[in-house]
Amino acid sequence: MSKALGFDLSTVEPEEGAPAPEKVLDGDPRFLTWNLEDAGNGLHAGVWQSTPGTWRVSYDEWEYFSILEGHSILTEEGGEPVHLRAGDRMIIQPGFNGIWQVVETTRKDYVVRF
């Protein structure tokens, strides 16, 4: 069995979602999430996409992501806005609280550890 996994998003059924209504500050953001790996030890990887909108975020998990397309602005409470575009990468630590604003439909790949 191969230890490397390739994937084709067209063969994976995405899950639909949205932020909790009480967290939405503007718009009607909708998510698609292609879950590609669940290692069974709290480690998950995949691709996430959101349509425009703004909502509050609060992270209990650790996440690394890379923006594949679109434009988002992530602002930590008390911090400066960070504009995220294709090619930008970020690590979010547990305890992060702030606002995620999708300006243009954004797609990212991610690895999350719970």
Side-chain angles (χ1 to χ4, degrees), residues 58-63 92-96 112-114:
S58 143
Y59 282 72
D60 294 326
E61 66 278 3
W62 175 95
E63 179 180 358
I92 298 177
Q93 300 287 340
F96 177 96
V112 172
R113 180 175 288 277
F114 291 93

Side-chain angles (χ1 to χ4, degrees), residues 11-27:
T11 65
V12 179
E13 187 69 30
E15 293 179 15
E16 296 181 20
E22 66 274 10
K23 293 186 176 198
V24 175
L25 301 173
D26 185 51

Side-chain angles (χ1 to χ4, degrees), residues 18-92:
E22 66 274 10
K23 293 186 176 198
V24 175
L25 301 173
D26 185 51
D28 185 24
R30 297 289 177 211
F31 306 154
L32 291 176
T33 304
W34 292 263
N35 292 304
L36 303 173
E37 176 72 10
D38 177 352
N41 60 358
L43 187 69
H44 300 268
V47 175
W48 173 88
Q49 178 176 294
S50 177
T51 59
T54 305
W55 64 95
R56 293 185 191 284
V57 293
S58 143
Y59 282 72
D60 294 326
E61 66 278 3
W62 175 95
E63 179 180 358
Y64 163 85
F65 64 81
S66 176
I67 301 294
L68 302 172
E69 60 187 58
H71 176 206
S72 282
I73 302 169
L74 186 59
T75 307
E76 187 170 8
E77 282 182 358
E80 295 295 317
V82 176
H83 289 260
L84 300 165
R85 293 183 173 88
D88 290 336
R89 295 163 186 82
M90 182 174 271
I91 292 174
I92 298 177

